[in-house]
Structure formats: C-alpha cells, structure tokens
C-alpha cells in the first residue's frame, strides 16, 4: 500500500510518457500509438457515445466496456467508476485503475507477454478521485478462451496442443515474475496462429496458440515466482479446467509448465495440485452459492401483495407478474397439468413464453399446514429456499440439475413465510429413473445409464455435496423419451441436499449409495453383478482410497439397515 502511495506521489512529479490532452472535462494521457490514432484532440468519447458507434459489451456498477468501430479499426473503451466508499478510499491510496491497467499492459508487452495494446487512459479533470477511462486496440482475431472453445470444437490432438501451449504461456508469466490475481479463462484471449481450423501439425511447421491477458490492473511484477506463489496461482488457474478438461490434458499442461521452468524446485507434484484445486473449488462454490440468498447481477427481488421472493433476471416480466399475482391459480386453472398432488406439495407444468417460443417449466408448491410451520421458516431456510440455493449450488458445481428460476413465499401477517413456491426449468424429454429401469430390457443401455449415474454421484460427493434422499424417484433421465441410449441422469428434489467445503465422509457416501441401491431391490434384472459394475464405475471416477470390497460391505450393511427401518415404520422402499 505504501508503495502505491509513493508511486502515486511520484507520478505527480513525473507525468506519464506520451501526450497529455484536456478535453470535455477529462484529462487524457496517450501513448505514441494513441497520438498517431487520435491526434492532438485525444479520444472523442462523447462523440462516439452520442453517434452510436460505441456499443456496450459489458456493464456493471463498477465498470462499463464499450466496443467502438472506427475507420482505422476497432478499439475498446473501459469506463471505471467508483461505486462505494471502499472503492473511493482505494482510489485515494493508489493510482487510478485505468492508469494501472495502461502501464501494466505496456510493461507486459515489453516483456514479450501478450496484452491489449494500450492507446490512452484518462481521468475526470478534478483534484479528487473519480472516474477513469482506458482505451485499447482490439486484438482480433483473439477472443476469450471460453468463447473460443465453444465456437471451435477441438479434436483430441488439438486439445493436446492447447494444453501444452497454455502450460508454456503460464510458465513464461511466472518466470518473468508476473502473477495475475484472477487467472480465470475469461481473462485470457486466445488466437490460432496458422490456418482457420487448428491442427496439431501441418507438414514440418507446427501451428500453435497465441495468448494475451486481460484485466491486468492488479497483476504483480517481481522476481521469478517461487514455488509457493506459483502453486497458489496454478491452483486458481486450474479451478475452471478441473471441471471441463480431462485429467490427461491437465497432466499435459503440468508437464509443459515443468519443462518450461526446469530450474524451479517443486516439492509437490500434479496430484497435490489437483487436491488443492478441489479444496479451493469447494470453498469457491460455497461462497458463490451464498450469493443467491439476495440480489446480484443474475438475481432480483420480486414482490406482489403478500407474495415476495427472488427470481433470475432473464425471467420474462409479464409471466412473473401473472404468476406472483396469484400463484395458486396455476394449479387450478382449466387445463392445468398436475404432475403431483398430495397433502405436503403440489407440482404442475407451465408454459413459459420466450422470444424463441414457449418452453416448459415446473412450479412446485410446498404447503404449510399450520402457523407453527410458518414460524419455523423464520428461523431456518424453508424447503423451497433450500432447493433454490442448492439448485444454483449444483449448477455452479456443473452437476446436472434443473436450473431454479424463481422462489417466493406467501406471507401471513406480513412477516410469516407460509406456502413456498419454486419455479424451475423442466428436464427435456425426461423419464423417471424407476420407470426407465423397469421398462429397460437391453443390458447395454442399462449399463450405460448405470455408468453415467455412478460418475454423477461420484462427482457430487467429490465436490462436497451430500444427498440424504438419494433415491431413484429423485433422479430423471434427460432425453430418455427421445433416445434412451444417449439419456443422461439429472438430480431433482434437492430438499435433502447439503453442500460444504469438505469431502463427504466415507460412511455418508456408503449410506447414500445404499439408499439408491434399496430403490432397485424389487427390480429383478438389476442384479448383484450390475450393482457391482455401478460400484466399480463409481470408484473408477475418482481416487477411491479403499478397496471395492470395503465399499461393498458397507453398502450392504447400510441397505439392510434401511430396509429394516422402513419395515418398522411401515413405509415402502421407493
């Protein structure tokens, strides 16, 4: 912090290199390339905004990014705002955010590291901290890495090249003493250097990927990163890829990184990094799930009369107003399609109008039988609220579950949350797992379902999620009505789900597998052999730590205990 203050004081004495221009209440500092592009008048930001040549790319309370198409090419303007006392204090103690990004980008390019070409940065013409602006040149054809992977499906050999080049790029950053505090793929631009479609090699000339960094205002420069700092940065970088890249490709990345930093002493190997990444991801997911308790950029508060709650921002306003005005009408209107109706809850299928046509959604009402039930909702999250939070939590963890769209309660006396309502997307072409298994007589299809389900359950447990009601009726097979061979399992009814920052204990995992096993005791073609195949697939999807016989014994004991418990209470095994 003191270094930033001294650096800021020094900048008052020695102005930044390039021209300085005052215009329209702003002070611009231009690089030589910016002087050649904009001339003595500086960037004409007001003209671009008024003339419509500036298009909003990103917008938030703290910044807005514009894309501006000029005759000389495309540029980007980042408008950084102060959105609170903390941000104002930060601007007092450090350089303006736009200046930091301008200078860091120039320094990265001097090191031979890809970064946006800085053209100009500016601030409000005032003695007090205020808004700042950064102007950079477009790096086309480079695009953010997630967008590139979505637009260019890669073959296995192409993914191998990408993994190796990415490892070399990050090693170059660390060897030059550069640490990015937020190294997620959205802050990484990628372009293919070669032909239109990437190939592992062509003739004797190897094509490759070119990378560039974004959001570089907070990067740190120094000596080559030691192992502790490198490990922390690698863990952050690996969080996104652990969910989307294969273990083989992540290993290729690591080997390429180690080869490029041969002089670095690494007391830990890739297995330690994977475990540290998983632990970091669990903490990250818990923090991300907590955001859905209130409003943020994807969730808003909704209210109509005695009904209030939360909804995603992309839910159509007219549909939401109609639903909030009388939620119970969805279950009683003529032609309503009821999927479930009992004393505790009612479930109906609705049609949601969208610009691309109507799509099916599911509305669930959880009844509150008395005032005491509403009082309990004051002191703990209701069932629909838990399902809302954990639904988004599972989506954050890339576990298959319908996306929650809205949650709200009907309030009694203005403060008691009574009946709860949960609106979710509908699983497309779905068939319930019990019905699908009972009707299936093709062993290869059944085994494909079991293998996929085993991997989903294993991923759920590895990502810190426990489902105490993991029974077959709470699992749907998406796409089974269309093509059973390609159906995939989806988790529903998340009231019994819990998620934390630690791994699910062995005893809990065995108990949940036993609950799932008990659902198929009456299905004759789900044999012990098929159950063993399921268990081997479950253990093969991650580091088991125990032999399959230990797991088998624990699951059998838990299954017998579950059957006996239900028999004592007179409940069927579902």
């Amino acid at each position: 912090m003191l270094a930033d203050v001294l650096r800021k004081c020094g900048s008052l004495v020695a102005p930044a290199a390039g021209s300085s221009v005052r215009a329209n209440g702003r002070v611009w500092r231009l690089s030589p390339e910016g002087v050649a592009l904009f001339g003595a008048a500086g960037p004409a930001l007001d003209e671009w905004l008024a003339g419509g040549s500036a298009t909003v790319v990103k917008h938030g309370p703290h910044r807005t990014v514009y894309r501006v198409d000029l005759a000389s090419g495309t540029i980007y303007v980042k408008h950084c705002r102060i959105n609170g006392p903390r941000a104002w204090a930060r601007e007092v103690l450090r350089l303006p955010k736009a200046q930091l990004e301008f200078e860091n980008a120039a320094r990265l390019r001097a090191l031979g590291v890809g970064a946006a070409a800085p053209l100009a940065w500016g601030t409000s013409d005032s003695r007090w901290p205020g808004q700042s602006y950064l102007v950079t040149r477009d790096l086309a054809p480079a695009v953010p890495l997630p967008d590139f992977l979505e637009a260019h499906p890669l073959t296995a050999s192409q993914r191998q090249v990408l993994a190796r080049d990415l490892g070399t790029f990050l090693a170059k950053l660390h060897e030059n003493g550069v640490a990015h505090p937020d190294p997620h793929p959205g802050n990484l631009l990628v372009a293919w250097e070669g032909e239109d479609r990437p190939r592992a090699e062509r003739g004797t000339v190897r094509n490759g990927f070119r990378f560039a960094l974004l959001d570089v205002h907070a990067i740190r420069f120094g000596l080559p990163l030691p192992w502790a700092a490198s490990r922390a940065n690698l863990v952050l970088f690996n969080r996104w890829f652990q969910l989307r890249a294969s273990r083989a490709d992540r290993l290729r990345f690591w080997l390429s990184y180690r080869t490029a930093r041969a002089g670095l002493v690494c007391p830990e190997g890739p297995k330690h990094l994977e475990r540290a990444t998983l632990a970091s991801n669990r903490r990250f997911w818990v923090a991300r799930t907590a955001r859905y308790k209130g409003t943020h950029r994807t969730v808003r508060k909704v209210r109509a009369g005695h009904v209030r709650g939360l909804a995603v921002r992309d839910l159509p306003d007219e549909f939401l107003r109609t639903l909030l005005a009388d939620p119970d009408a969805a279950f009683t209107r003529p032609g309503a399609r009821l999927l479930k109706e009992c004393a505790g809850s009612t479930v109906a299928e609705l049609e949601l109008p969208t610009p691309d046509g109507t799509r099916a959604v599911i509305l669930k009402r959880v009844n509150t039988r008395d005032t005491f039930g509403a009082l309990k909702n004051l002191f703990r999250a209701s069932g629909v609220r838990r399902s809302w939070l954990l639904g988004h939590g599972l989506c954050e963890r890339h576990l298959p579950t319908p996306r929650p769209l809205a949650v709200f309660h009907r309030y009694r006396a203005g403060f008691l949350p009574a009946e709860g309502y949960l609106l979710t997307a509908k699983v497309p072409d779905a068939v319930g797992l019990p019905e699908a298994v009972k009707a299936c007589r093709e062993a290869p299809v059944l085994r494909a379902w079991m293998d996929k389900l085993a991997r989903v359950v294993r991923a759920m447990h590895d990502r810190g999620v426990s489902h105490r009601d993991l029974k077959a009726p709470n699992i749907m097979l998406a796409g089974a009505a269309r093509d059973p061979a390609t159906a995939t399992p989806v988790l529903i009814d998340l009231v019994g789900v819990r998620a934390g920052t630690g791994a699910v204990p062995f005893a809990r995992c065995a108990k949940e597998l036993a609950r799932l096993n008990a659902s198929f005791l009456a299905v004759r073609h789900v044999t012990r052999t098929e159950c063993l195949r399921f268990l081997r697939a479950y253990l093969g999807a991650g580091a088991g730590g125990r032999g399959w016989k230990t797991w088998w014994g624990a699951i059998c004991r838990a299954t017998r205990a579950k059957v006996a418990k239900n028999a004592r209470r007179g409940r069927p095994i579902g």
Side-chain angles (χ1 to χ4, degrees):
M1 190 67 72
L2 179 61
D4 284 338
V5 174
L6 294 175
R7 186 180 174 196
K8 187 165 187 175
C9 293
S11 69
L12 297 176
V13 178
S19 297
S20 179
V21 176
R22 274 184 166 82
N24 298 324
R26 302 185 188 94
V27 180
W28 294 99
R29 281 83 170 181
L30 286 78
S31 67
E33 188 178 356
V35 172
L37 182 62
F38 303 123
L45 179 58
D46 293 331
E47 294 181 13
W48 300 335
L49 293 174
S53 58
T55 305
V56 175
V57 178
K58 291 183 180 179
H59 178 70
H62 62 289
R63 59 97 181 91
T64 301
V65 179
Y66 300 96
R67 174 190 172 102
V68 184
D69 295 314
L70 303 176
S72 56
T74 300
I75 63 172
Y76 286 90
V77 180
K78 179 185 285 188
H79 178 191
C80 304
R81 289 184 290 270
I82 297 177
N83 63 331
R86 181 182 176 186
W88 187 89
R90 196 165 53 234
E91 290 294 303
V92 170
L93 297 174
R94 73 173 188 186
L95 295 170
K97 194 172 182 179
Q99 182 181 356
L100 287 172
E101 190 157 356
F102 180 94
E103 294 179 354
N104 288 345
R107 188 169 178 180
L108 286 171
R109 292 171 69 87
L111 292 172
V113 176
L119 301 175
W121 70 273
T123 59
S124 301
D125 192 0
S126 170
R127 298 175 59 185
W128 300 102
Q131 304 175 83
S132 61
Y133 307 84
L134 174 70
V135 185
T136 58
R137 186 180 291 280
D138 183 25
L139 292 178
V143 295
L145 181 57
D147 297 342
F148 179 86
L149 295 178
E150 183 178 348
H152 301 85
L154 303 180
T155 65
S157 61
Q158 293 161 4
R159 291 197 305 271
Q160 293 171 18
V161 175
L162 177 63
R164 295 190 185 101
D165 288 353
L166 197 52
T168 303
F169 174 76
L170 201 64
K172 182 178 180 180
L173 286 183
H174 291 175
E175 198 62 30
N176 281 283
V178 179
H180 198 305
D182 191 19
H184 65 79
N187 284 337
L188 199 64
L189 296 180
V190 61
W192 176 252
E193 292 185 332
E195 299 198 0
D196 291 338
R197 289 195 59 80
R199 292 186 59 179
E201 45 182 58
R202 181 172 292 279
T204 58
V205 179
R206 180 185 177 280
N207 295 332
F209 292 89
R210 172 172 54 86
F211 300 98
L213 289 176
L214 294 178
D215 284 345
V216 298
H217 64 278
I219 63 172
R220 299 182 296 274
F221 295 92
L223 298 174
L225 268 63
W227 170 242
S230 301
R231 179 184 185 274
N233 212 236
L234 286 168
V235 166
L236 290 177
F237 190 74
N238 190 35
R239 290 197 308 196
W240 191 87
F241 293 96
Q242 194 173 60
L243 299 181
R244 298 166 178 86
S246 67
R247 284 185 286 182
D249 284 337
R250 298 200 301 273
L251 179 60
R252 290 186 182 95
F253 167 89
W254 165 254
L255 294 176
S256 177
Y257 178 89
R258 286 294 293 121
T259 301
R261 300 197 71 191
L264 179 67
V265 178
C266 298
E268 298 174 325
K271 289 185 179 180
H272 294 87
L273 280 179
E274 285 291 299
R275 286 195 288 269
T277 301
L278 184 56
S280 177
N281 259 332
R282 289 183 189 134
R283 295 191 295 271
F284 173 74
W285 291 325
V286 169
R288 292 273 295 186
T289 302
R291 300 191 315 155
Y292 292 94
K293 294 179 180 179
T295 59
H296 57 90
R297 63 186 181 89
T298 62
V299 175
R300 54 177 168 164
K301 289 183 178 180
V302 294
R303 181 169 186 168
H306 297 293
V307 177
R308 59 181 184 265
L310 301 168
V312 295
R313 294 189 183 273
D314 55 349
L315 199 61
D317 292 337
E318 184 60 34
F319 173 85
L320 192 57
R321 280 195 295 269
T322 303
L323 184 61
L324 293 175
D326 187 4
D328 297 323
F331 303 100
T332 58
R333 68 167 57 103
R337 185 182 179 189
L338 294 181
L339 305 180
K340 175 183 177 182
E341 187 172 14
C342 62
S345 63
T346 307
V347 181
E349 180 179 328
L350 310 179
E351 294 295 328
L352 174 66
T354 69
D356 300 325
T358 59
R359 60 187 177 97
V361 294
I362 302 298
L363 179 65
K364 179 178 182 180
R365 179 183 63 197
V366 177
N367 302 319
T368 301
R369 299 178 182 178
D370 50 30
T371 304
F372 180 69
L375 278 172
K376 288 194 296 184
N377 290 341
L378 280 177
F379 302 100
R380 53 107 167 111
S382 64
V384 293
R385 187 168 176 83
R386 289 198 303 273
S387 297
W388 160 268
L389 291 174
L390 271 302
H392 285 290
L394 264 61
C395 291
E396 293 283 352
R397 291 166 173 81
H398 278 243
L399 294 172
T401 192
R403 181 194 179 203
L405 302 176
V407 61
F408 42 90
H409 287 86
R410 187 184 296 278
Y411 280 75
R412 298 178 185 174
F415 71 98
L416 287 177
E419 290 78 19
Y421 303 84
L422 178 69
L423 184 72
T424 66
K426 183 187 177 184
V427 182
D429 300 316
V431 177
L433 181 62
E435 295 79 14
V437 171
K438 289 177 183 177
C440 181
R441 291 296 183 268
E442 299 180 23
V445 174
L446 180 62
R447 290 170 186 172
W449 293 346
M450 293 295 186
D451 183 77
K452 293 175 183 178
L453 180 58
R455 293 179 180 277
V456 167
V457 176
R458 182 63 200 225
M460 181 184 75
H461 288 161
D462 284 346
R463 295 168 192 176
V465 178
S466 170
H467 196 326
R468 62 180 175 84
D469 199 18
L470 187 67
K471 57 185 179 181
N474 287 340
I475 300 171
M476 305 287 287
L477 287 175
R482 183 182 64 255
D483 184 3
T486 60
T488 56
V490 177
L491 304 173
I492 62 172
D493 200 355
L494 307 181
V495 176
V497 170
R498 297 292 182 272
T501 57
V504 182
F506 166 76
R508 169 56 61 185
C509 293
K511 188 174 182 180
E512 292 178 4
L513 291 174
R515 182 66 187 91
L516 186 59
N517 178 48
S519 300
F520 298 106
L521 292 178
V523 183
R524 300 188 60 176
H525 59 277
V526 179
T527 62
R528 292 166 63 90
T529 302
E530 300 298 341
C531 292
L532 180 57
R533 285 194 177 98
F534 176 91
L535 178 61
R536 297 294 290 267
Y538 173 87
L539 297 178
R546 290 178 171 87
W548 69 267
K549 291 184 179 180
T550 303
W551 282 89
W552 184 269
I555 293 170
C556 288
R557 289 190 294 273
T559 301
R560 288 194 295 269
K562 176 62 179 174
V563 172
K565 180 180 178 180
N566 279 37
R568 289 193 304 270
R569 297 184 176 184
R571 293 181 179 177
I573 296 290

